[in-house]
Amino acid sequence: MNEIYDFLAEIDSLDETGQKELELLINKTSDLKQLPLIARKIMQVIENPKSTAYDLERVIQSDQSLTAKLLKISNSSFYGLLRKVNTLQRAILVVGFKTIKDIAVSTAILSMYRSSDPHSIKLWEQAIGVGIACRILSLEFQDTDTDEAFVAGLLHNLGKTLMLRADGDAVKSIYDRQQKDPAANELELEKEAFHFAYTHAGGTLIRNWNLAPSLEAAVRYHSHLPEVLWTDIDMDIKVTIAIVSYAKRLCRQLGIGWNAADPSVDLVNCPEIEFMKISPERILEIADEVKLAFFEENQLFA
């Protein structure tokens, strides 16, 4: 899928200073330079065509916290299974290899967000909220990979974890300015402070971790939907990017991951809806579904 990079490479590309600053920061941040160990092990099992459900079960069982979360998620309304899942082996068989991998990898990565710092907690809430919104929005499109959309939403602000390590005060200052001025350009403010934006950082981490190029594209370019729509990348990738972009917009309006809801955010007259063609009536329903799902499900990933 290298053609994805070719089509998108010129959109908000980093200058030499930004590239050097980002590489330097990643090299200094050892715990973010590589995918978490348990996630790497899970991916190795999944990518081996000879692997069995038992092989995957054995790897996941080595992490008790992850095992408990997977069982909790498998038994939630998140997947709506009719029968209770009592064992990890049954969870793997019922939910499926790919979904288990997506949940496990995402849960491992989400551990990077957690701390007692109020700002980190808000970032974690944003990640969960946008992931849930992406899953709900993806159901509007028959050919969209719901699991990939969910994971893209979970990881959309991954780059901010890296930036928090570099200069937490600068990140918080940008967040506070956005709270006061919804028109403030988040990416430009970040580039002023760091020479790169959270989308650059998140996309680079995902590429370094050898996750799917389509996932990198969604994380890296969800803030550049109008430009993306002019490229020749596959329609399913454009849809996923639009879903992540709109999910972020929706969570901002609802106040998920923010100090307060922002009613000034337009959920109807925006590039995402112009592209996705979702009716105003359905938008209201989706907003209610996201609020309810976030209330019910956010602690599944805690």
Side-chain angles (χ1 to χ4, degrees):
M1 298 180 73
N2 286 333
E3 66 271 15
I4 295 177
Y5 303 131
D6 295 334
F7 287 134
L8 301 177
E10 297 306 314
I11 298 176
D12 193 31
S13 57
L14 275 178
D15 60 22
E16 186 176 349
T17 300
Q19 193 64 49
K20 285 182 178 178
E21 290 288 336
L22 179 53
E23 290 174 2
L24 187 65
L25 180 55
I26 290 174
N27 288 331
K28 286 198 309 185
T29 315
S30 58
D31 60 330
L32 288 180
K33 190 173 181 180
Q34 286 190 310
L35 197 63
L37 179 60
I38 184 65
R40 295 203 305 272
K41 288 181 177 179
I42 290 167
M43 289 186 68
Q44 287 170 359
V45 171
I46 295 291
E47 291 168 0
N48 184 346
K50 296 182 180 179
S51 294
T52 65
Y54 173 71
D55 295 325
L56 183 58
E57 178 185 10
R58 189 170 54 182
V59 170
I60 294 173
Q61 279 183 333
S62 67
D63 188 314
Q64 291 184 341
S65 174
L66 180 57
T67 299
K69 286 178 182 177
L70 284 172
L71 286 172
K72 185 164 62 170
I73 292 168
S74 298
N75 282 297
S76 72
S77 58
F78 191 86
Y79 282 102
L81 301 180
L82 297 177
R83 294 178 59 189
K84 186 172 178 62
V85 174
N86 295 311
T87 66
L88 183 57
Q89 184 181 51
R90 175 153 178 78
I92 292 170
L93 292 173
V94 172
V95 177
F97 260 43
K98 182 182 183 302
T99 300
I100 287 290
K101 180 205 75 173
D102 288 341
I103 297 173
V105 170
S106 300
T107 303
I109 293 171
L110 280 172
S111 65
M112 297 177 178
Y113 291 75
R114 298 314 301 269
S115 80
S116 58
D117 174 63
H119 188 72
S120 294
I121 293 172
K122 286 298 178 185
L123 285 181
W124 181 83
E125 289 178 357
Q126 281 183 25
I128 300 298
V130 172
I132 288 171
C134 283
R135 190 188 83 235
I136 291 171
L137 284 162
S138 70
L139 298 175
E140 301 294 304
F141 304 92
Q142 186 174 1
D143 297 326
T144 299
D145 186 328
T146 298
D147 291 325
E148 182 168 287
F150 171 64
V151 174
L154 283 181
L155 303 184
H156 85 282
N157 62 356
L158 173 67
K160 289 186 183 290
T161 63
L162 188 66
M163 297 163 81
L164 274 172
R165 310 290 180 90
D167 189 344
D169 289 340
V171 174
K172 293 169 189 175
S173 176
I174 292 168
Y175 178 87
D176 290 341
R177 184 166 170 183
Q178 285 182 279
Q179 288 279 167
K180 296 173 183 175
D181 179 13
N185 189 311
E186 178 181 29
L187 302 186
E188 291 303 319
L189 292 173
E190 290 177 345
K191 282 186 276 190
E192 286 176 14
F194 295 92
H195 301 288
F196 58 84
Y198 81 97
T199 49
H200 300 119
T204 300
L205 286 174
I206 286 176
R207 184 184 292 201
N208 288 355
W209 295 343
N210 292 316
L211 298 181
S214 54
L215 186 60
E216 178 194 341
V219 171
R220 171 70 178 81
Y221 298 105
H222 65 267
S223 292
H224 300 283
L225 180 63
E227 296 93 330
V228 167
L229 296 180
W230 280 101
T231 70
D232 292 327
I233 61 171
D234 292 343
M235 181 58 70
D236 58 341
I237 297 174
K238 289 182 179 179
V239 170
T240 300
I241 291 173
I243 285 172
V244 175
S245 179
Y246 191 70
K248 182 181 176 183
R249 179 187 293 271
L250 180 58
C251 286
R252 176 75 182 268
Q253 205 255 20
L254 295 174
I256 295 174
W258 295 88
N259 292 335
D262 185 353
S264 71
V265 175
D266 195 337
L267 297 182
V268 177
N269 300 302
C270 56
E272 298 92 337
I273 293 303
E274 183 178 350
F275 171 65
M276 295 191 293
K277 309 295 185 190
I278 301 175
S279 70
E281 295 77 18
R282 180 62 186 136
I283 288 168
L284 290 175
E285 293 173 352
I286 289 172
D288 287 339
E289 290 172 19
V290 170
K291 280 192 291 187
L292 179 60
F294 180 76
F295 177 77
E296 292 181 342
E297 297 172 6
N298 78 87
Q299 287 306 310
L300 291 174
F301 298 90

